[in-house]
Amino acid sequence: MSINDASPYSARMQRVLNYIDDHLEDDLNGDVLANVAAFSKFHFQRQFSALFGITIHRYIQLMRFKRAAFRLAFRKDRSVFEIALDSGYEGPEAFTRSFRKHQNQSPSAFRKDPQWNPWHVAYAPVNQIRNNYMSPNFTTEDVKIIEFPATSVAVKSHHGDPALVGDTIRQFIEWRREAGLPPKKSATFNIFHSDPDETPPDEYQLDICAATSRPIDSNSKGVVSGEIPAGRCAKVRMTGSSDNLRPAISYLYREWLPASGHELRDFPIFVQRVTFFPDVPDQEAVTDIFLPLL
């Protein structure tokens, strides 16, 4: 079920989730959030817990930890002190104690060598809420047929457990930094060679790409030259967390494609990360999904 179309009641809770995404640095107390939802402050926290199965305090805490973890792992320009303040802590000591309690690593240790499996376990309650209640709905009007141009890319392939793709992303980010190809200058793509829900972990493959026509010199990160070929594609834009692209991908395969009369081209489904978390709030991330067609 999507919270978007469940009921006016649920839509008011949707406003709360969106507000939290946009105001993680602010004082998100019960009175403020009850006002956002237009519910009585005397009942709001119980209403939230009853609907989502988690307290509002815990939800906010986990969303702040998610952003903190992404900044620690992928944004080395942010200091631990800055990340602690943005997470609602007065200083790094309290942040370190709380982060270690939930992650079993200090922030500095996580930045150096993230242990992703414990992180996925800790974040699972929020992931379940967002998958169950914030999944967007799509219609045929959301799908556009476009001619995708041949695009030369630098490619870093991830082979193995999808839960560990963060390590591959870190290597690719470091290569991009060294090569002077930040996302603002070079479009970011992912090519999905396999479905993480249908593929044994050791057989999973995902390509992380950055658009560039430069020759790729031999490097220690395993980045090589590649190309996303030209051709027709069905394109759908997904706005919101890119943690779960399944609603959009499933709509294309399950509903749009059988009714469209189109046939698939022999190239994997791929996406362009137009904007992404933690650079923008989770709900404002934009991902374009491309289904290659004959």
Side-chain angles (χ1 to χ4, degrees), residues 95-135:
F95 176 62
T96 295
R97 286 195 300 271
S98 189
F99 193 90
R100 188 192 298 275
K101 177 181 176 181
H102 291 89
Q103 178 61 34
N104 203 29
Q105 280 187 291
S106 69
S108 298
F110 187 87
R111 165 161 278 178
K112 182 178 180 180
D113 182 23
Q115 299 301 303
W116 290 108
N117 284 321
W119 183 85
H120 285 294
V121 171
Y123 183 67
V126 165
N127 200 39
Q128 183 175 1
I129 290 171
R130 298 179 79 89
N131 289 347
N132 290 344
Y133 295 100
M134 297 184 74
S135 295

Side-chain angles (χ1 to χ4, degrees), residues 155-207:
V155 182
K156 169 69 177 174
S157 289
H158 174 84
H159 297 269
D161 190 346
L164 303 179
V165 71
D167 292 335
T168 304
I169 293 172
R170 281 162 56 85
Q171 294 180 48
F172 190 66
I173 289 173
E174 187 173 342
W175 178 86
R176 289 184 84 160
R177 187 180 297 113
E178 294 170 353
L181 287 174
K184 289 182 179 180
K185 294 183 179 180
S186 173
T188 302
F189 296 93
N190 296 157
I191 303 173
F192 297 102
H193 292 269
S194 46
D195 183 337
D197 293 334
E198 303 291 339
T199 307
D202 60 343
E203 298 178 14
Y204 178 72
Q205 180 181 348
L206 164 73
D207 288 346

Side-chain angles (χ1 to χ4, degrees), residues 4 20 27-28 41 129 134 152 160 171 173 181 229 267 290:
N4 291 312
I20 291 170
D27 179 14
L28 295 171
K41 66 180 181 180
I129 290 171
M134 297 184 74
S152 298
Q171 294 180 48
I173 289 173
L181 287 174
F267 189 78
F290 299 91

